[in-house]
Amino acid sequence: MSVLSDRHFHDEAEAYKVVEARIWPNGPVCPHCGGFERISKMEGKSTRIGTYKCYQCRKPFTVKVGTIFEASHVPLHFWLQAIFLIASSKKGISSNQLHRTLGVTLKTAWFMSHRIREAMRDGSLGPLGGNGLIVEADETYWGKKANPEPSKHRRGRPYIKKGKAAEKRAILGLIERGGNVRTFHVAQATKVNVSELVAANIAHESVLMTDESNLYPTVGATFSSHWTVKHSAGEYVRGGAHTNTIESYFSVFKRGMKGTYQHCAEKHLHRYLAEFDFRHNQRIALGVDDETRAERILSGVVGKRLTYRTTSAG
């Protein structure tokens, strides 16, 4: 039987039960005052499914309040379908495909996708790596900048040739071998920007692994060791020294962006990076299957509400 045959994907009451069990493991909590003792479920015929009332602050609420689902008119079981589809697609699923599959408007599917990406965003601030662990760092470029940097060699005029880094969006990637990845969209991949992000996000007891780029030698000296490979000389692997792990991640990201999403405004790039980071960090090699991955997205919906206006504004 298909996973999508489960009742909570088709029955609204069951969908509420699943979400409540995930968000309120110890029973309902009022999102308005934080109370949990004097709460009862409203059972009237005209009452919306999943409505509770807090008798401390006298306000009604549902499990959707304070989450990515708040103020959405889309049925909750449609949301659970969308979460599972995004969680189970290695290179993502387009808004057009969600629009056709769920039967919602394209605008609604686009907004749902961005809300779900917000739930996938990891707020962890802990450093990658550790004593004896290897962390690879590399930068890549994807998509044309909204406002390309002017060329210093063309009297302030912007670059006109394709492929120039100055006219593309810079992305810094950090990945712990066998562990998690963390990516950043930066205005420019400069020595200062890259060094600050590398220093703040990698434990200094780690082994830093990079290519021969001049962005890394200074910050590399602050780690237990800094290994490099010289791509310009055709060297890609030297013993345990390589950046193949982060380059493999970039390959999946770019295939997803080109093949599935095709276009992404620069103001939304950080959300797509969060999606691909989440999917890598919750991968099958770490024992996380599609259903578990969807449950973990559901665990991240609280406190991440987006409105259509703020999403459109970036």
Side-chain angles (χ1 to χ4, degrees):
M1 183 179 291
S2 167
V3 173
L4 289 173
S5 298
D6 291 349
R7 286 187 63 189
H8 61 275
F9 288 126
H10 306 279
D11 182 270
E12 192 71 352
E14 287 297 318
Y16 270 89
K17 288 180 183 178
V18 167
V19 177
E20 287 173 7
R22 176 59 59 183
I23 296 178
W24 296 331
N26 300 313
V29 178
C30 177
H32 303 296
C33 69
F36 57 89
E37 294 178 343
R38 299 175 59 200
I39 292 175
S40 64
K41 192 167 186 177
M42 301 177 70
E43 302 285 0
K45 290 184 179 180
S46 62
T47 304
R48 291 172 298 165
I49 294 174
T51 303
Y52 293 80
K53 185 168 183 178
C54 174
Y55 288 93
Q56 290 178 244
C57 66
R58 314 294 294 183
K59 293 180 180 179
F61 63 91
T62 71
V63 72
K64 291 163 62 173
V65 176
T67 72
I68 65 170
F69 310 125
E70 184 172 353
S72 170
H73 298 292
V74 177
L76 195 57
H77 65 278
F78 277 20
W79 275 102
L80 297 186
Q81 290 181 40
I83 286 173
F84 183 81
L85 290 170
I86 289 176
S88 60
S89 304
K90 184 174 183 179
K91 298 181 182 68
I93 181 169
S94 70
S95 298
N96 269 296
Q97 185 63 52
L98 274 183
H99 148 64
R100 294 192 296 269
T101 302
L102 301 181
V104 297
T105 66
L106 178 57
K107 180 178 176 180
T108 297
W110 178 86
F111 187 30
M112 290 175 72
S113 298
H114 275 304
R115 289 208 207 188
I116 293 169
R117 288 185 191 102
E118 188 68 10
M120 298 167 91
R121 178 172 54 83
D122 182 11
S124 173
L125 299 176
L128 299 171
N131 188 25
L133 296 177
I134 296 173
V135 180
E136 298 176 20
D138 198 10
E139 70 285 348
T140 193
Y141 298 87
W142 186 86
K144 191 174 182 179
K145 280 186 177 182
N147 299 298
E149 297 294 328
S151 167
K152 297 178 181 178
H153 308 292
R154 302 186 71 251
R155 298 179 182 178
R157 292 173 292 169
Y159 285 106
I160 55 174
K161 292 184 179 179
K162 293 183 179 180
K164 293 290 185 179
E167 68 175 8
K168 291 191 174 183
R169 308 164 190 173
I171 298 167
L172 172 68
L174 311 174
I175 193 166
E176 180 182 321
R177 285 193 189 168
N180 289 351
V181 68
R182 196 173 294 172
T183 55
F184 306 89
H185 169 38
V186 293
Q188 286 181 298
T190 64
K191 190 173 184 179
V192 172
N193 290 347
V194 169
S195 295
E196 287 178 353
L197 289 170
V198 168
N201 288 277
I202 302 178
H204 287 265
E205 300 81 17
S206 311
V207 174
L208 180 65
M209 198 78 64
T210 70
D211 57 22
E212 77 274 25
S213 170
N214 61 8
L215 298 175
Y216 302 103
T218 302
V219 69
T222 66
F223 291 89
S224 65
S225 58
H226 176 204
W227 299 359
T228 64
V229 286
K230 195 170 184 179
H231 289 171
S232 60
E235 181 186 56
Y236 292 92
V237 179
R238 189 182 67 257
H242 63 78
T243 56
N244 292 347
T245 318
I246 186 63
E247 288 168 6
S248 176
Y249 170 84
F250 285 149
S251 175
V252 173
F253 168 73
K254 290 182 178 180
R255 287 177 184 177
M257 295 304 292
K258 291 178 181 178
T260 301
Y261 297 122
Q262 299 180 22
H263 170 75
C264 162
E266 187 170 2
K267 63 185 178 182
H268 297 309
L269 182 56
H270 66 288
R271 293 195 175 104
Y272 288 90
L273 287 169
E275 175 187 347
F276 283 88
D277 284 2
F278 175 89
R279 201 176 283 112
H280 176 88
N281 296 341
Q282 310 295 333
R283 60 193 183 277
I284 193 68
L286 298 179
V288 183
D289 60 16
D290 292 343
E291 293 179 70
T292 305
R293 197 175 302 115
E295 288 180 7
R296 292 185 181 179
I297 293 176
L298 199 54
S299 298
V301 301
V302 179
K304 295 178 180 176
R305 187 191 173 197
L306 285 178
T307 63
Y308 189 83
R309 180 172 296 179
T310 56
T311 307
S312 299

